[in-house]
Amino acid sequence: MFKHTIVRRPAKSMVEGITSAPELGKPDHALALKQHDAYIEALKACGVDVLVLDALEDYPDSCFVEDVAVCTRAGAIITNPGAASRNKEKDYIVDAVKKFYTEDQMAYITAPGTLDGGDVMMVGDHFYVGLSERTNAEGIDQFTKALAKFGMTCEAVEMKEMLHLKTGLAYLENNNLIVGGEFITTPVFEKFNRLEVSEDEAYSCNCIWINDNVIVPAGYPKTQAKVEALGYNVIVVDTSEFRKLDGGLSCLSLRF
């Protein structure tokens, strides 16, 4: 069960954030704030407290706070984001994370290792980490050693198409896994009860489980129906403005 979440408010500068889909247009900051408000309320409805951090105008993508830390039941790991324009965001999350962990429960990924939290999927005390354009082998090696100190394990996942591992995966606990795109045929995930997402709803792979609730993005009825069929309480949140920056539901919070 999760008790805590950390989010960061979207900066006005988000209109200049990184995107692989310029055809979607630039984000509307005012609408993004409203969507972020709804996201925070959804988190609270799942029974967690929410620490809301101020926007960082110097970092357009900084609302995607998941990428700068990985918070576990036993310790936290400050990452080293692989995108140059985002790398220093990690320096602004440390104080917030230290509100919940002691110094000996902290670890840090350092250069030449890179690691984005969006490439990390937690399944109990085992972690799957995508080897992506943002997360390299050295980063995964450091992450594995840090987890070992916390009594946890890790394995790397080869990937070729997705931005982040969790672009195409969402673990819903109880062995249930939302899976899409290239990960549908990845052997390591065959042992899970897989909810396959069709290409036309690919964005909806990025859902989040919190205390037997599942938050899903608005506009993807087939995925929503599959999650509801498993008995979860589903909360729908519109993330259209964050999608324009390649961001989804999991990207917007740290959950622990």
Side-chain angles (χ1 to χ4, degrees):
M1 301 291 281
F2 293 142
K3 296 180 179 178
H4 311 293
T5 57
I6 301 174
V7 304
R8 186 178 294 283
R9 296 296 274 168
K12 293 178 182 177
S13 61
M14 72 180 295
V15 297
E16 303 304 329
I18 302 170
T19 183
S20 65
E23 68 276 7
L24 297 177
K26 289 186 178 295
D28 179 320
H29 181 251
L31 180 54
L33 285 176
K34 291 179 180 179
Q35 292 180 351
H36 202 251
D37 287 339
Y39 181 81
I40 290 170
E41 290 308 308
L43 294 175
K44 291 178 178 178
C46 296
V48 294
D49 57 62
V50 185
L51 174 59
V52 182
L53 305 179
D54 292 337
L56 293 175
E57 289 298 337
D58 289 343
Y59 299 96
D61 297 284
S62 55
C63 60
F64 301 126
V65 70
E66 177 182 59
D67 287 322
V68 294
V70 176
C71 297
T72 80
R73 62 167 183 79
I77 299 166
I78 305 300
T79 69
N80 196 32
S85 65
R86 299 197 60 195
N87 185 263
K88 291 185 179 179
E89 290 176 26
K90 66 183 185 294
D91 299 335
Y92 296 90
I93 199 65
V94 176
D95 287 346
V97 173
K98 283 185 176 179
K99 294 179 185 294
F100 304 94
Y101 298 92
T102 61
E103 187 60 52
D104 63 352
Q105 293 177 307
M106 300 285 292
Y108 302 82
I109 306 299
T110 58
T114 62
L115 187 131
D116 274 19
D119 280 320
V120 178
M121 184 175 73
M122 179 176 69
V123 178
D125 285 346
H126 186 69
F127 292 74
Y128 295 91
V129 186
L131 188 61
S132 71
E133 290 186 5
R134 304 277 180 89
T135 296
N136 64 20
E138 170 63 22
I140 295 176
D141 183 59
Q142 290 183 32
F143 185 72
T144 301
K145 291 175 180 176
L147 286 173
K149 295 179 181 178
F150 302 146
M152 299 174 174
T153 55
C154 175
E155 67 183 284
V157 179
E158 295 281 348
M159 48 186 291
K160 298 177 182 179
E161 300 169 14
M162 303 285 188
L163 171 64
H164 283 134
L165 186 78
K166 284 186 291 196
T167 303
L169 294 169
Y171 185 58
L172 306 184
E173 303 296 316
N174 305 312
N175 204 49
N176 295 318
L177 182 70
I178 291 178
V179 58
E182 64 181 299
F183 301 127
I184 290 176
T185 56
T186 300
V188 72
F189 300 123
E190 289 178 352
K191 61 188 175 185
F192 293 97
N193 175 37
R194 299 180 304 157
L195 284 71
E196 293 188 9
V197 172
S198 56
E199 187 61 33
D200 61 316
E201 292 201 359
Y203 179 74
S204 67
C205 288
N206 189 263
C207 299
I208 48 177
W209 175 97
I210 304 181
N211 304 340
D212 291 329
N213 303 279
V214 177
I215 305 177
V216 302
Y220 303 93
K222 289 186 287 186
T223 300
Q224 181 179 340
K226 288 182 179 181
V227 176
E228 289 174 337
L230 289 175
Y232 296 107
N233 178 53
V234 170
I235 302 173
V236 178
V237 175
D238 190 351
T239 52
S240 65
E241 302 315 291
F242 303 99
R243 184 185 180 192
K244 294 174 181 177
L245 300 180
D246 303 328
L249 286 162
S250 77
C251 312
L252 290 167
S253 62
L254 293 167
R255 304 163 300 280
F256 53 102

